[in-house]
Amino acid sequence: MALKNYCCFVEGADEKKIIGTLKTDMKLIQPGKVYVVNPVQEKIPMSRILKANNKLISSSMNVLRVICVTQVKNLEDELICSCDIRNIRELTNSRSDREYKSDLIRITNLAERLKKCCFCKELFWSKDPDGAFKDIQNQADKIWL
């Protein structure tokens, strides 16, 4: 059996925290290394950068395939959609929306909080992107265990 090493590239520390919790604490997604890299912050069109980066990563001899998991709008919207909450502060117990990211990163029991908020993995990262990223297929179903 071949060893599979997954690498996950995420935009920021809050996405890294969610991936780590889903991977390690909740054992819902494939194990692997998580890297914080924003593949779309450039001056040329974002969709072109993402496609170029996917092609570059795919061409590596160590990469079997690239799986794109798209996030529509932002992580907060994905969490609100996939949990039984009305706003992101309910998950993190934050005093304001501005404090959400730092509070999320500091949470030591994120898996428990997600379970308490009825996290549903089938709703998380379940939408297809539109706009500049409409040509990127969402393959989130390939990472879930």
Side-chain angles (χ1 to χ4, degrees), residues 11-119:
E11 277 186 67
D14 52 339
E15 287 92 356
K16 182 177 182 179
K17 175 78 174 199
I18 289 290
I19 293 286
T21 298
L22 295 175
K23 174 182 67 167
T24 306
D25 301 336
M26 300 175 81
K27 308 227 183 306
L28 293 175
I29 62 174
Q30 302 288 343
K33 182 80 173 143
V34 180
Y35 300 94
V36 177
V37 176
N38 191 335
V40 296
Q41 282 189 335
E42 298 281 333
K43 291 183 181 178
I44 57 178
M46 292 187 286
S47 60
R48 185 171 163 202
I49 295 165
L50 186 56
K51 288 176 185 175
N53 284 345
N54 283 345
K55 188 175 181 178
L56 179 67
I57 293 167
S58 295
S59 67
S60 170
M61 290 178 19
N62 297 325
V63 175
L64 179 60
R65 70 176 176 223
V66 172
I67 298 171
C68 288
V69 178
T70 58
Q71 176 175 288
V72 178
K73 291 189 180 179
N74 55 44
L75 183 60
E76 297 93 305
D77 288 330
E78 293 285 353
L79 289 167
I80 291 168
C81 178
S82 60
C83 293
D84 187 19
I85 57 176
R86 288 181 303 280
N87 61 61
I88 198 62
R89 294 183 310 274
E90 292 178 49
L91 175 64
T92 58
N93 292 327
S94 299
R95 287 180 279 174
S96 72
D97 289 349
R98 292 183 79 201
E99 296 173 348
Y100 145 76
K101 285 188 182 197
S102 58
D103 290 345
L104 179 80
I105 294 163
R106 282 194 297 265
I107 290 175
T108 57
N109 62 341
L110 183 56
E112 290 174 34
R113 296 258 186 104
L114 287 168
K115 288 175 188 173
K116 183 179 175 186
C117 293
C118 303
F119 175 77

